[in-house]
Coordinates of all heavy atoms in Angstrom, one line a residue:
I23 N 131.6 194.7 185.0 CA 131.8 196.0 184.5 C 130.5 196.8 184.8 O 129.4 196.4 184.5 CB 132.0 196.0 183.0 CG1 133.4 195.3 182.7 CG2 132.0 197.4 182.4 CD1 133.6 195.0 181.3
E27 N 130.8 202.6 183.2 CA 132.0 202.5 182.4 C 131.7 202.4 180.9 O 132.6 202.4 180.1 CB 132.8 201.3 182.9 CG 133.4 201.4 184.2 CD 134.2 200.1 184.6 OE1 135.3 200.1 184.2 OE2 133.6 199.3 185.4
L28 N 130.5 202.1 180.6 CA 130.0 202.0 179.2 C 129.3 203.2 178.7 O 128.5 203.8 179.4 CB 129.1 200.8 179.1 CG 129.6 199.4 179.6 CD1 128.6 198.4 179.5 CD2 130.8 199.0 178.7
R53 N 131.1 202.0 173.7 CA 132.4 202.4 174.1 C 132.7 202.1 175.5 O 132.0 202.4 176.4 CB 132.5 203.9 173.9 CG 133.9 204.5 174.0 CD 133.9 206.0 173.8 NE 135.2 206.6 174.0 CZ 136.1 206.7 173.0 NH1 135.8 206.3 171.8 NH2 137.2 207.2 173.3
F54 N 133.8 201.3 175.7 CA 134.2 200.9 177.0 C 135.6 201.4 177.3 O 136.6 201.1 176.6 CB 134.2 199.3 177.1 CG 134.8 198.8 178.4 CD1 134.4 199.2 179.6 CD2 135.9 197.8 178.3 CE1 135.0 198.7 180.8 CE2 136.5 197.3 179.4 CZ 136.1 197.7 180.6
E55 N 135.8 202.2 178.3 CA 137.0 202.8 178.7 C 137.9 201.8 179.4 O 138.0 201.8 180.6 CB 136.8 204.1 179.5 CG 136.0 205.2 178.9 CD 136.7 205.8 177.7 OE1 138.0 205.8 177.6 OE2 136.0 206.4 176.8
A56 N 138.5 200.9 178.6 CA 139.2 199.8 179.2 C 140.5 200.2 180.0 O 140.8 199.6 181.0 CB 139.6 198.8 178.1
E57 N 141.2 201.1 179.4 CA 142.5 201.6 180.1 C 142.2 202.1 181.5 O 143.1 201.9 182.4 CB 143.1 202.6 179.2 CG 144.6 202.8 179.5 CD 145.5 201.6 179.2 OE1 145.4 201.1 178.1 OE2 146.2 201.2 180.1
R58 N 141.1 202.8 181.7 CA 140.8 203.5 183.0 C 140.0 202.6 183.9 O 139.6 203.0 185.0 CB 140.2 204.8 182.7 CG 141.1 205.8 182.1 CD 140.5 207.1 182.0 NE 139.4 207.1 181.1 CZ 139.1 208.1 180.2 NH1 139.9 209.2 180.2 NH2 138.1 208.0 179.4
S59 N 139.6 201.4 183.4 CA 138.7 200.6 184.2 C 139.3 200.0 185.4 O 140.4 199.4 185.3 CB 138.1 199.4 183.3 OG 137.4 198.6 184.1
P60 N 138.7 200.3 186.6 CA 139.3 199.7 187.8 C 139.0 198.2 188.0 O 139.6 197.6 188.8 CB 138.6 200.5 188.9 CG 137.3 200.9 188.4 CD 137.6 201.1 186.9
N61 N 138.1 197.7 187.2 CA 137.7 196.3 187.3 C 138.6 195.3 186.5 O 138.4 194.1 186.7 CB 136.2 196.1 186.9 CG 135.3 197.0 187.8 OD1 135.5 197.0 189.0 ND2 134.3 197.6 187.2
L62 N 139.4 195.8 185.6 CA 140.2 194.9 184.8 C 141.7 194.9 185.3 O 142.3 196.0 185.5 CB 140.3 195.4 183.4 CG 139.0 195.2 182.5 CD1 139.3 195.7 181.1 CD2 138.5 193.8 182.5
P63 N 142.2 193.8 185.6 CA 143.7 193.7 186.0 C 144.6 194.0 184.8 O 144.1 193.9 183.6 CB 143.9 192.2 186.4 CG 142.5 191.6 186.4 CD 141.6 192.5 185.7
D64 N 145.8 194.5 185.1 CA 146.7 194.9 184.0 C 147.0 193.8 182.9 O 147.0 194.1 181.7 CB 148.0 195.4 184.6 CG 147.8 196.8 185.2 OD1 146.9 197.6 184.7 OD2 148.6 197.2 186.1
V66 N 145.1 191.5 181.9 CA 143.8 191.4 181.1 C 143.7 192.6 180.1 O 143.4 192.4 178.9 CB 142.6 191.3 181.9 CG1 141.3 191.3 181.1 CG2 142.6 190.0 182.8
K67 N 144.1 193.8 180.6 CA 144.1 195.0 179.7 C 145.0 194.8 178.6 O 144.7 195.2 177.4 CB 144.4 196.2 180.5 CG 143.4 196.7 181.5 CD 143.8 197.9 182.2 CE 142.8 198.3 183.3 NZ 143.2 199.4 184.1
R68 N 146.2 194.3 178.9 CA 147.2 194.1 177.8 C 146.7 193.1 176.7 O 146.9 193.3 175.5 CB 148.6 193.6 178.4 CG 149.3 194.7 179.1 CD 150.8 194.3 179.3 NE 150.9 193.2 180.2 CZ 150.9 193.2 181.5 NH1 150.9 194.3 182.1 NH2 151.1 192.1 182.2
L70 N 143.6 192.3 176.2 CA 142.4 192.9 175.5 C 142.9 193.9 174.4 O 142.3 193.9 173.3 CB 141.6 193.7 176.6 CG 140.3 194.3 176.0 CD1 139.4 193.3 175.4 CD2 139.6 195.1 177.2
R71 N 143.9 194.6 174.7 CA 144.4 195.6 173.7 C 144.9 194.8 172.4 O 144.6 195.3 171.3 CB 145.6 196.4 174.3 CG 146.1 197.4 173.3 CD 147.3 198.2 173.9 NE 147.6 199.3 173.0 CZ 148.1 200.4 173.5 NH1 148.3 200.6 174.7 NH2 148.3 201.4 172.6
A74 N 141.6 193.3 170.7 CA 140.7 194.3 170.1 C 141.2 194.8 168.8 O 140.4 195.1 167.9 CB 140.5 195.4 171.1
R77 N 139.7 198.0 167.0 CA 138.6 198.5 167.9 C 139.2 199.3 169.1 O 138.4 199.9 169.8 CB 137.7 197.4 168.3 CG 136.9 196.8 167.1 CD 136.2 195.6 167.6 NE 137.1 194.5 167.8 CZ 136.7 193.2 168.0 NH1 135.4 192.9 167.9 NH2 137.6 192.3 168.2
W78 N 140.5 199.2 169.4 CA 141.1 199.9 170.5 C 141.5 201.3 170.0 O 142.2 201.4 169.0 CB 142.4 199.1 170.9 CG 143.0 199.6 172.1 CD1 144.0 200.6 172.2 CD2 142.8 199.2 173.5 NE1 144.3 200.8 173.5 CE2 143.7 200.0 174.3 CE3 142.0 198.2 174.1 CZ2 143.7 199.8 175.7 CZ3 142.0 198.1 175.4 CH2 142.9 198.9 176.2
T79 N 141.1 202.3 170.7 CA 141.4 203.7 170.3 C 142.7 204.1 171.0 O 143.2 203.5 171.9 CB 140.2 204.6 170.7 OG1 140.1 204.6 172.1 CG2 138.9 204.2 170.1
D81 N 143.1 206.6 173.0 CA 142.9 206.9 174.4 C 142.5 205.7 175.3 O 142.1 205.9 176.4 CB 141.9 208.1 174.5 CG 140.5 207.8 173.9 OD1 140.5 207.0 172.9 OD2 139.5 208.2 174.4
G82 N 142.7 204.5 174.7 CA 142.5 203.3 175.5 C 141.1 202.8 175.7 O 140.7 202.3 176.8
A83 N 140.2 203.1 174.7 CA 138.8 202.6 174.8 C 138.6 201.5 173.8 O 139.3 201.5 172.7 CB 137.9 203.7 174.6
V84 N 137.7 200.6 174.0 CA 137.3 199.6 173.1 C 135.9 200.1 172.5 O 135.0 200.4 173.3 CB 137.1 198.2 173.7 CG1 136.6 197.2 172.7 CG2 138.4 197.8 174.3
V85 N 135.9 200.2 171.2 CA 134.6 200.7 170.5 C 134.1 199.5 169.7 O 134.7 198.9 168.8 CB 134.9 201.9 169.6 CG1 133.7 202.3 168.9 CG2 135.5 203.0 170.4
L105 N 131.3 192.6 173.6 CA 132.3 193.1 174.5 C 132.6 192.1 175.6 O 133.8 191.9 175.9 CB 131.7 194.4 175.2 CG 132.7 195.0 176.2 CD1 134.0 195.5 175.6 CD2 132.0 196.2 176.9
L108 N 134.8 189.4 174.2 CA 136.2 189.9 174.0 C 136.9 189.9 175.3 O 138.1 189.5 175.4 CB 136.1 191.3 173.4 CG 137.4 191.8 172.7 CD1 137.8 191.0 171.6 CD2 137.2 193.3 172.3
I109 N 136.3 190.4 176.4 CA 137.0 190.5 177.7 C 137.2 189.1 178.2 O 138.2 188.8 178.8 CB 136.2 191.4 178.6 CG1 136.1 192.8 178.1 CG2 136.8 191.3 180.0 CD1 135.2 193.7 178.9

Side-chain angles (χ1 to χ4, degrees):
I23 296 170
E27 294 182 78
L28 302 174
R53 185 179 179 89
F54 170 55
E55 300 293 337
E57 196 67 52
R58 292 187 291 224
S59 175
N61 298 320
L62 290 183
D64 284 335
V66 174
K67 286 180 188 178
R68 285 194 299 272
L70 180 62
R71 181 180 191 150
R77 293 174 288 192
W78 187 273
T79 63
D81 56 329
V84 177
V85 178
L105 177 65
L108 194 64
I109 296 172

